[in-house]
Amino acid sequence: MLTDLVSSINSFLWGPYFLIALLCGTGLYFTIRLRFVQIFKFKMGLNRLFGNFSLHGEAAGKSGMSSFQAVATAVAAQVGTGNLVGATTALIMGGPGAIFWMWCAAFLGMATNFAEICLAQIYRTKDDSGHMIGGPAFYISRGLKSRYAKVLAAFFALAIILALGFMGNMVQANSISDGFKGAFGIPQWASGLFLAAICAMIFIGGVKAIARVAEKIVPIMAILYVAVGLVIICFNLDKIPGVIALIFEAAFNPSAAWGGATGATIATAMRYGIARGLFSNEAGMGSTPHAHAAANVKHPVDQAVLGIMSVFVDTFIVLNITVFVVLSADVIHFENGKAVLTGISLVQEAFSTHVLGHAGGYGFVAICLFFFAFTTILGWYYFAEINVRYLFGAKFVRILQILVVGFVFAGSLLKINFVWELADMFNGLMVLPNLIAIIALSPVVVKLLKDHDAGKEYEQKNYVREPNLF
């Protein structure tokens, strides 16, 4: 009964008339105000991404991390089970037309993420232990001239600790243990114990260890998944034009796909495509700016353009690989209006075609799922840690580490549909204070971008301002 209640709340929160409209509207607002920054700064972002590429960057510490380590940590959090399971959920529930709306949401989300990162850099500060930290809680509390600002910041901080640090990480751990049990027959308790142990070691190492792991694993896992996916797509190359045509046709005529078996409407396609896309790339949710705030760069725009690239990599590269492998492999079938295969099983079946074979496909996807979910756990823990530092101070970080390790192990063992629903709900709730702040502080972002284009040097004091809001 409680699960049904939370599910009903999520249907409204993540429905077309609330968060989807707010997030897309905010993305459109920043796209226009920042003069299509995701297009005109794309080349700069590409140059900085590959120009800073390194598997052995300078060790992160109290003063922050390298620009590449920051974007790797952000992508670690973004590229997770949503790129596999989320993509197939959108396909099954909304039809292939949902992918078109996913692309639209990601394009707008690039501008939103750019604005979030600019503000995270401007309002970043040092905590009581001397660590350089930043994120929505900081630009909400320090940027909004309102008696409600600290309340909004505390609400955001608490929501992200619960949504990502605890419940979200339980779900990621469960995905790993389920995948390894299905592919290799490994007991869930064994996977959970191993995962909890390596998480504990990395958590204790702090930001230095998290940055080190992220900068090494993220590029390798992404390149491997994309490379194998491209091989399978090449075997089905003759089907790709039809797949692209189907995506565009089904976006406005969902019944064109699979004989209308899904019963999807345009509204359904929009809902699942946009919601799953935003959930995957996290643009506007206020999570990834925590990583970018710690980057050591000369100007916030230098890091913000990497936010554009992180959304691009997440949705237009990694998630699209899943979509095109599944659609070109022709593994989606329906019986009595229900899909025969769903979720991770659908992705595994698609990767089993051609080169990999059945065992190889299921094993490869399980391993990719492990690395995707594992790095997401690290990223989400780091975001939770920053907000614990904001709310309670550095002395409470050890308590958080113990709790998250416990939640990771418990998540590996349990069937946690209710926990997943709760994570969705708190994810939705933390969006609200973040959107209020970035829209209210949009003049700061506009001024920052104009000054950067004019070649002005950055000084933090020139941009920290407090607009009247309430």
Side-chain angles (χ1 to χ4, degrees), residues 9-27 105 271 274-275 278-279 283-285 423-435:
I9 294 171
N10 286 336
S11 296
F12 170 72
L13 273 177
W14 290 100
Y17 303 111
F18 197 58
L19 282 182
I20 287 179
L22 285 174
L23 285 163
C24 288
T26 301
R271 175 191 169 186
I274 294 172
L278 290 169
F279 194 82
M285 291 174 62
D424 272 353
M425 185 178 74
F426 282 106
N427 268 323
L429 291 175
M430 77 188 198
V431 169
L432 299 175
N434 183 54
L435 293 187

Side-chain angles (χ1 to χ4, degrees), residues 19 55 142 159 245 298 335 392 412 434 449 462:
L19 282 182
L55 297 180
R142 298 180 64 210
K298 291 182 178 179
E335 288 183 2
F392 308 112
S412 302
N434 183 54
L449 181 58
N462 294 335

Side-chain angles (χ1 to χ4, degrees), residues 121-415:
Q121 276 275 325
I122 291 170
Y123 288 96
R124 68 181 188 165
T125 186
K126 289 188 176 181
D127 70 357
D128 55 1
S129 66
H131 282 82
M132 182 64 72
I133 55 176
F138 297 88
Y139 58 70
I140 292 170
S141 61
R142 298 180 64 210
L144 301 183
K145 187 179 181 181
S146 165
R147 57 182 174 177
Y148 303 111
K150 291 191 181 298
V151 175
L152 283 175
F155 178 82
F156 173 88
L158 186 60
I160 196 170
I161 291 168
L162 293 173
L164 302 188
F166 296 154
M167 289 169 286
N169 279 340
M170 287 182 75
V171 174
Q172 297 294 334
N174 190 256
S175 298
I176 291 173
S177 64
D178 271 354
F180 271 67
K181 183 181 179 181
F184 308 113
I186 298 174
Q188 287 180 288
W189 68 265
S191 298
L193 193 61
F194 172 74
L195 183 61
I198 58 174
C199 283
M201 288 188 289
I202 295 172
F203 293 168
I204 291 170
V207 64
K208 179 179 178 179
I210 292 171
R212 282 289 194 197
V213 172
E215 74 174 346
K216 290 175 174 61
I217 293 182
V218 170
I220 294 171
M221 74 173 186
I223 290 169
L224 182 62
Y225 184 75
V226 170
V228 174
L230 284 174
V231 170
I232 294 173
I233 290 170
C234 286
F235 274 95
N236 297 314
L237 203 57
D238 59 315
K239 297 180 181 178
I240 297 302
V243 167
I244 295 172
L246 180 63
I247 288 172
F248 279 91
E249 183 181 3
F252 303 97
N253 180 22
S255 62
W258 307 310
T262 63
T265 62
I266 294 177
T268 308
M270 290 179 69
R271 175 191 169 186
Y272 281 99
I274 294 172
R276 290 297 96 188
L278 290 169
F279 194 82
S280 174
N281 60 55
E282 302 182 28
M285 291 174 62
S287 51
T288 57
H290 295 95
H292 292 287
N296 293 317
V297 290
K298 291 182 178 179
H299 197 287
V301 170
D302 293 340
Q303 190 63 28
V305 294
L306 289 173
I308 294 173
M309 299 313 302
S310 66
V311 175
F312 179 81
V313 168
D314 174 86
T315 303
F316 290 102
I317 296 181
V318 180
L319 192 144
N320 267 356
I321 286 293
T322 302
V323 168
F324 280 94
V325 167
V326 169
L327 288 178
S328 65
D330 195 25
V331 292
I332 297 179
H333 305 289
F334 292 86
E335 288 183 2
N336 301 319
K338 292 186 177 181
V340 177
L341 291 173
T342 59
I344 199 65
S345 298
L346 185 61
V347 182
Q348 289 175 314
E349 187 64 27
F351 272 85
S352 296
T353 59
H354 302 296
V355 182
L356 295 177
H358 187 271
Y362 274 72
F364 174 75
V365 172
I367 292 170
C368 286
L369 182 66
F370 169 80
F371 285 111
F372 284 177
F374 170 61
T375 54
T376 297
I377 289 172
L378 298 184
W380 284 0
Y381 161 77
Y382 177 61
F383 303 160
E385 179 186 310
I386 291 172
N387 285 277
V388 165
R389 288 177 181 272
Y390 171 79
L391 284 176
F392 308 112
K395 60 182 178 292
F396 283 87
V397 168
R398 186 68 72 203
I399 296 173
L400 174 71
Q401 292 170 346
I402 295 169
L403 287 173
V404 173
V405 169
F407 274 91
V408 164
F409 180 69
S412 302
L413 306 177
L414 304 174
K415 291 296 181 184

